[in-house]
């Protein structure tokens, strides 16, 4: 019975998260994608990042293919804005499990933010404005 209750709560959390992402997307300008995956390739890698809008596998086929992969909840403003929707509990502090994560099982918010910043800073993801 407890396992069923845990599963129901997980489904409820997923639906609440999806609702928040859709609500955020409805307020963002020029939304291009929801749940878009971005990659950071190793320096000197022969493989290039997937073309924007190209169909992509959910997981990388090998560790060397993509050194880092992130999923951005909402890509808006022609791709210039990446929005991550998070629900931090009231007790989320710099020492909390939510911030630090659970090594080997779940990335904390701190590592997620670092990964997103690293991938976003890659030259292949820069947007050149036309003035």
């Amino acid at each position: 019975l407890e396992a069923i209750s845990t599963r129901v709560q997980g489904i409820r959390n997923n639906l609440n998260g999806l609702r928040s992402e859709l609500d955020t997307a409805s307020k963002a300008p020029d939304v291009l994608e929801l749940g878009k995956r971005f990659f950071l390739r190793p320096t000197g890698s022969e493989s290039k990042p997937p073309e924007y809008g190209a169909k992509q596998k959910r997981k990388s086929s090998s560790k060397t293919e993509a050194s880092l992969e992130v999923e951005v909840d909402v890509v808006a403003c022609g791709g210039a804005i990446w929005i991550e929707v998070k629900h931090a509990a009231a007790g989320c502090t710099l020492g909390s499990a939510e911030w630090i994560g659970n090594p080997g099982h779940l990335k904390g918010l701190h590592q997620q933010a670092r990964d997103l910043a690293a991938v976003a800073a890659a030259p292949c993801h820069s947007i050149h404005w036309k003035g």
Side-chain angles (χ1 to χ4, degrees):
L1 189 60
E2 188 174 320
I4 292 172
S5 177
T6 301
R7 182 154 165 75
V8 168
Q9 185 59 49
I11 292 168
R12 191 174 288 141
N13 290 343
N14 287 342
L15 290 173
N16 286 337
L18 180 58
R19 180 183 310 137
S20 295
E21 290 173 21
L22 292 173
D23 183 51
T24 299
S26 73
K27 297 173 184 168
D30 190 21
V31 172
L32 294 179
E33 299 216 33
L34 300 175
K36 171 73 175 163
R37 291 186 180 276
F38 291 92
F39 303 89
L40 178 62
R41 302 279 184 224
T43 304
S45 172
E46 291 295 318
S47 59
K48 294 188 168 121
E51 290 296 317
Y52 192 82
K55 295 289 182 197
Q56 300 166 21
K57 296 178 189 173
R58 296 271 313 158
K59 292 285 180 188
S60 175
S61 59
S62 72
K63 287 280 185 191
T64 59
E65 187 178 316
S67 62
L68 188 57
E69 177 182 343
V70 296
E71 182 176 323
V72 178
D73 295 329
V74 180
V75 178
C77 199
I81 298 176
W82 294 6
I83 303 169
E84 269 302 296
V85 179
K86 299 293 181 196
H87 292 278
C92 181
T93 63
L94 294 181
S96 71
E98 210 170 30
W99 180 254
I100 296 170
N102 184 355
H105 298 285
L106 180 67
K107 282 186 185 180
L109 294 174
H110 182 245
Q111 188 60 50
Q112 290 177 39
R114 291 174 59 110
D115 289 353
L116 282 162
V119 174
C124 61
H125 298 304
S126 67
I127 292 183
H128 304 283
W129 295 99
K130 296 178 183 176

